[in-house]
Amino acid sequence: MSAARTAPPEPVRYERRDAVALVTMDRPEYRNAQNSAMTYALDRAFYRAADDDEVKAVVLAGAGKHFSAGHDIGTPERDAHLAFDRKAGLWWDHSDKPGAESRFARESEVYLGMCRRWRELPKPVIASVQGACVAGGLMLAWVCDLIVASEDAFFADPVVRMGIPGVEYFAHPWVMPPRIAKEFLFTGDRMSARRAYEVGMVNRVVPRAELTQRTLELAERIAAMPRMGLALTKRAVNQAEDLQGLHSGLDSVFGLHHLAHAHNAETGDGPLGGMDVRAMKEDRH
């Protein structure tokens, strides 16, 4: 008789350290690849931080050697086919729909919709990034207000290798200069933490051993400010980004992203252009 299967552990840990909520992605064996279970667990954690009057700032981290290697495209717990209680929009359930309708509905919810909601959390959020911050990992870091990176961190969006113009939350031309964004996408090369700091995508680069401490120190310093002042300041800067086209730009590129998926499917290579985890790991720079 085979052993009974046990439910996977909660993929996100939540703890409070005085006025700072520490939200930690906890799938280190898969480099914190984001399946839907993790996405909805993150959503619950962010709501918890928003609802707690004692929390003034939030830190988003990843357990283990890496912040996040991106969306889950190949672990045993991949759950893209499953239905979840939708939270971020009014698109219908994707799990019983065919083709592009299924993918567009799901990604409108768990990728673009969730990221937009998290960006609007009215408390400062700091990403604490080590190791890989790749593809879907970028989306999580980019919705945060500040990024503290360890010296060993690297950033990459290699999905052009799939024939797709970047990840679903296409903030690239806002988080870095447009020509740098083009090089970043055209080559798919890794960007070091130091280079990310130089182009203004990262706030601070610190030794790996000091990452957690230094990030929490920054969060605690911010948490000493008035809550309403922080909320209004965050909204003011977010509104400025939206006036510079971020909100409408995300919508327009999301459509191009799904055109690419549909093109791949029509040409016979599947929606990911024939790429899988193994193929995406080849020829990395």
Side-chain angles (χ1 to χ4, degrees):
M1 182 181 295
S2 61
R5 292 188 61 186
T6 58
E10 182 71 5
V12 173
R13 299 197 314 265
Y14 182 98
E15 59 184 299
R16 208 182 82 197
R17 302 191 181 184
D18 296 322
V20 176
L22 177 57
V23 176
T24 306
M25 295 176 283
D26 197 15
R27 299 184 76 207
E29 67 275 30
Y30 303 122
R31 304 203 304 170
N32 294 317
Q34 305 156 36
N35 57 8
S36 293
M38 175 180 279
T39 300
Y40 285 95
L42 281 170
D43 195 57
R44 290 191 296 273
F46 286 136
Y47 259 101
R48 184 174 175 182
D51 287 341
D52 189 340
D53 281 345
E54 300 300 317
V55 169
K56 301 280 290 298
V58 182
V59 169
L60 175 63
K65 295 181 179 179
H66 301 283
F67 177 75
S68 177
H71 297 140
D72 187 344
I73 62 172
T75 83
E77 297 167 10
R78 187 169 188 250
D79 54 11
H81 61 294
L82 299 179
F84 286 79
D85 291 335
R86 296 173 302 284
K87 302 292 186 182
L90 296 175
W91 275 93
W92 43 77
D93 176 34
H94 73 284
S95 64
D96 59 348
K97 307 298 187 297
E101 180 181 7
S102 174
R103 185 173 292 272
F104 194 91
R106 178 176 183 268
E107 296 193 357
S108 293
E109 162 78 3
V110 298
Y111 296 156
L112 184 59
M114 288 290 194
C115 283
R116 276 183 162 159
R117 281 210 326 181
W118 299 338
R119 175 177 174 258
E120 294 302 318
L121 175 67
K123 297 178 181 181
V125 184
I126 305 172
S128 180
V129 177
Q130 81 283 9
C133 183
V134 176
L138 294 171
M139 294 166 48
L140 296 183
W142 287 349
V143 299
C144 296
D145 303 295
L146 306 177
I147 300 175
V148 179
S150 64
E151 293 169 341
D152 69 334
F154 62 88
F155 305 83
D157 189 351
V159 302
V160 175
R161 294 185 63 198
M162 298 177 173
I164 297 171
V167 290
E168 293 84 352
Y169 186 84
F170 193 85
H172 308 61
W174 286 269
V175 299
M176 63 183 91
R179 284 192 176 86
I180 303 300
K182 288 177 181 177
E183 179 183 6
F184 185 70
L185 287 161
F186 291 167
T187 65
D189 288 351
R190 293 177 175 182
M191 178 183 287
S192 69
R194 183 58 56 186
R195 178 61 171 157
Y197 176 80
E198 291 172 352
V199 302
M201 191 173 80
V202 163
N203 295 86
R204 300 182 183 185
V205 179
V206 302
R208 176 69 184 87
E210 299 176 13
L211 176 63
T212 300
Q213 175 190 348
R214 299 277 290 275
T215 307
L216 287 170
E217 286 174 353
L218 178 59
E220 289 163 0
R221 181 177 176 188
I222 291 169
M225 301 291 276
R227 174 172 49 218
M228 190 62 170
L230 290 170
L232 294 179
T233 301
K234 176 168 180 171
R235 174 157 292 228
V237 178
N238 282 1
Q239 286 177 340
E241 284 187 304
D242 288 338
L243 288 169
Q244 293 165 355
L246 175 59
H247 192 279
S248 58
L250 292 172
D251 281 335
S252 64
V253 182
F254 190 69
L256 297 177
H257 182 98
H258 283 274
L259 172 61
H261 278 310
H263 173 74
N264 287 341
E266 284 196 29
T267 56
D269 292 329
L272 301 184
M275 290 288 175
D276 56 17
V277 174
R278 184 183 300 274
M280 291 301 286
K281 286 181 178 179
E282 293 174 356
D283 193 29
R284 292 179 301 183
H285 299 283

